């Protein structure tokens, strides 16, 4: 894990973060921006419908949305359209422009993810009967390939797709075993153009990997790590330049438990959600890795769920699980939904024009009579 470089650079970055974080913050605003205000309403459309508009009647789980906002990804349990097996979990894309429902082939049994390149031409996911393996589906060529270390990885029994670069060339994935400490113990980045793997992390790890993200060009990788400590585990966030191998820690111990919510397309900014100890207050922070500047976003008590590729529009969730979209530059907040909802990283399109989320609320769109949670896309305004 290149611990010597991490220690030195992490200490330098931590010093910068501690200095900027000490600056007083304006209540209900970014520390250097105007007060935020929740304004506007949102238009909402349902995603988990067939090409004929028919409702799904099974369990669905929301995923990311393409940068353009045209394609929304999600998973559904069978029986569902073109996913007949009861108990199977299949991956879908919904073309929000045409209404067409696209099932990603070869996703049966248990499937998770999915992950998208910026234009949704590359879809990465994990699927398997007993143990999942990571896969990449190319919608242009119609081909599917499994990701696995070049040495065969015979010592491992499972793997997970973790991230896709916006250009669709690089995919991050982990391999490991079903039980700690070997669970998800090695992290690789596959170059789909050359077929080569770069191993980024290998045992022994300081903790358990959580979210993994790639910059648009695949040259910068960010990841979270749950580190054992006392009676609980504390989240830390690291960023590595894959060209130089230099790794820095993006958060500090003063933040408490930190989680990775977004990495900007240029690899320069990291969005963190933190929970302080011992009071357990959630907060959102935007870290500029080049300058070391840290900006608090929104009021205390909110946490970031996702952001658009530029990390200008940040999706915030509060104690009621309602969602709002914060414009980092202006400080304005737009309502996404006042109902309890769940959104995943990658669920905000370019410019904050569309947000994908999952909700059990039955009154977000007309004709929602299936009695189960659905996946929606909101167009905040």
């Amino acid at each position: 894990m290149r611990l010597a470089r991490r220690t030195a650079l992490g200490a330098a970055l931590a010093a910068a973060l501690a200095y900027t974080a000490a600056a007083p913050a304006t209540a209900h605003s970014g520390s250097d921006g105007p007060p935020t205000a929740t304004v506007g309403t949102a238009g909402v459309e349902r995603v988990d419908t067939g090409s004929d508009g028919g409702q799904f009647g099974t369990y669905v789980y929301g995923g990311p949305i393409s940068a353009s906002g045209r394609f929304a990804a999600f998973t559904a349990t069978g029986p569902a359209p073109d996913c007949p097996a009861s108990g199977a979990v299949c991956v879908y894309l919904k073309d929000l422009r045409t209404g067409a429902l696209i099932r990603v082939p070869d996703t049966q049994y248990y499937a998770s993810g999915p992950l998208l390149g910026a234009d949704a031409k590359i879809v990465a996911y994990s699927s398997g009967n007993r143990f999942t393996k990571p896969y990449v589906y190319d919608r242009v060529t119609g081909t599917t390939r499994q990701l696995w270390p070049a040495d065969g990885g015979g010592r491992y029994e499972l793997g997970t797709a973790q991230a896709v670069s916006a250009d669709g060339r690089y995919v991050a994935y982990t391999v490991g075993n079903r039980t700690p400490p070997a669970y998800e113990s090695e992290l690789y980045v596959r170059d789909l153009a050359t077929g080569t793997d770069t191993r980024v992390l290998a045992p022994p790890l300081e903790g358990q990997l959580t979210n993994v993200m790639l910059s648009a060009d695949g040259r910068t990788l960010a990841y979270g790590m749950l580190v054992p400590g006392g009676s609980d585990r504390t989240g830390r966030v690291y960023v590595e330049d894959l060209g130089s191998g230099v790794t820095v820690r993006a958060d500090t111990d003063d933040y408490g438990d930190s989680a990775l919510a977004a990495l900007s397309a240029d690899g320069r900014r990291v969005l963190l959600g933190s929970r302080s100890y011992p009071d357990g207050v959630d907060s959102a922070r935007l870290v500029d890795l080049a300058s070391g500047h840290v900006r608090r976003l929104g009021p205390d008590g909110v946490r970031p769920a996702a952001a658009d590729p530029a990390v200008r529009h940040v999706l915030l969730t509060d104690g009621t699980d309602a969602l709002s979209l914060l414009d980092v530059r202006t400080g304005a907040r737009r309502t996404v939904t006042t109902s309890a909802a769940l959104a995943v990283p990658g669920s905000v399109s370019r410019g904050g024009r569309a947000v994908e989320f999952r909700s059990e609320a039955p009154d977000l769109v007309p004709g929602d009579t299936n009695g189960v949670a659905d996946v929606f896309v909101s167009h905040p305004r």
Side-chain angles (χ1 to χ4, degrees), residues 8-377:
L9 291 171
L13 180 60
L17 300 186
Y19 173 80
T20 55
T26 303
H28 298 271
S29 73
S31 60
D32 55 1
T36 61
T38 301
V39 296
T41 57
V44 178
E45 61 181 306
R46 184 160 46 173
V47 172
D48 58 317
T49 56
S51 298
D52 61 357
Q55 303 181 79
F56 277 56
T58 59
Y59 182 88
V60 296
Y61 193 86
I65 193 167
S66 64
S68 67
R70 175 172 177 175
F71 294 96
F74 67 100
T75 59
T77 59
D82 200 25
C83 184
S86 178
V89 181
C90 296
V91 175
Y92 295 90
L93 291 180
K94 185 65 171 292
D95 187 330
L96 300 177
R97 183 182 302 172
T98 67
L101 181 69
I102 305 164
R103 189 177 82 82
V104 175
D106 302 319
T107 56
Q108 296 185 31
Y109 307 112
Y110 177 78
S112 63
L115 308 161
L116 303 178
D119 54 9
K121 292 179 180 177
I122 293 295
V123 183
Y125 61 92
S126 308
S127 183
N129 187 0
R130 186 179 180 189
F131 303 119
T132 63
K133 298 292 193 299
Y135 295 88
V136 172
Y137 171 59
D138 187 323
R139 291 200 305 116
V140 176
T141 64
T143 57
T144 300
R145 70 183 93 173
Q146 180 181 303
L147 304 177
W148 205 250
D151 64 5
R155 58 197 177 281
Y156 296 121
E157 58 192 352
L158 56 83
T160 304
Q162 297 284 358
V164 180
S165 63
D167 62 9
R169 176 169 176 172
Y170 298 94
V171 180
Y173 69 98
T174 50
V175 294
N177 294 315
R178 66 187 119 171
T179 56
Y183 180 72
E184 307 290 22
S185 58
E186 295 196 19
L187 172 63
Y188 290 85
V189 174
R190 168 69 59 88
D191 184 335
L192 297 178
T194 65
T196 58
D197 285 315
T198 299
R199 188 170 69 171
V200 181
L201 295 176
L205 303 185
E206 63 178 328
Q208 181 180 331
L209 278 168
T210 55
N211 288 350
V212 178
M213 299 176 187
L214 286 165
S215 61
D217 60 8
R219 296 179 181 178
T220 304
L221 179 127
Y223 57 90
M225 188 79 72
L226 282 177
V227 180
S231 61
D232 204 350
R233 295 183 297 177
T234 300
R236 298 175 181 174
V237 177
Y238 297 100
V239 181
E240 178 165 341
D241 182 319
L242 296 178
S244 66
V246 174
T247 304
V248 297
R249 184 174 169 187
D251 66 319
T252 75
D253 289 338
D254 293 337
Y255 296 173
D257 186 6
S258 295
L260 174 64
L263 174 68
S264 63
D266 61 8
R268 174 172 172 164
R269 293 174 298 282
V270 179
L271 179 64
L272 302 175
S274 299
R275 175 164 292 179
S276 60
Y277 292 121
D279 52 0
V281 176
D282 290 320
S283 61
R285 288 178 171 86
L286 183 59
V287 180
D288 188 311
L289 296 170
S291 67
H293 180 256
V294 181
R295 181 174 178 181
R296 290 286 292 269
L297 304 177
D300 286 341
V302 299
R303 60 187 183 277
D308 70 334
V311 193
R312 173 177 172 177
H313 301 274
V314 173
L315 186 64
L316 299 174
T317 182
D318 62 17
T320 67
D321 291 330
L323 298 174
S324 61
L325 196 64
L326 171 70
D327 187 321
V328 174
R329 187 175 301 171
T330 68
R333 286 171 65 190
R334 295 176 285 165
T335 298
V336 174
T337 178
T338 57
S339 300
L342 177 65
V344 302
S347 58
V348 182
S349 72
R350 187 181 298 116
R353 297 182 182 91
V355 178
E356 183 176 353
F357 62 91
R358 178 184 182 271
S359 178
E360 296 182 359
D363 57 353
L364 296 180
V365 296
D368 186 352
T369 59
N370 59 5
V372 295
D374 290 290
V375 179
F376 302 91
V377 167

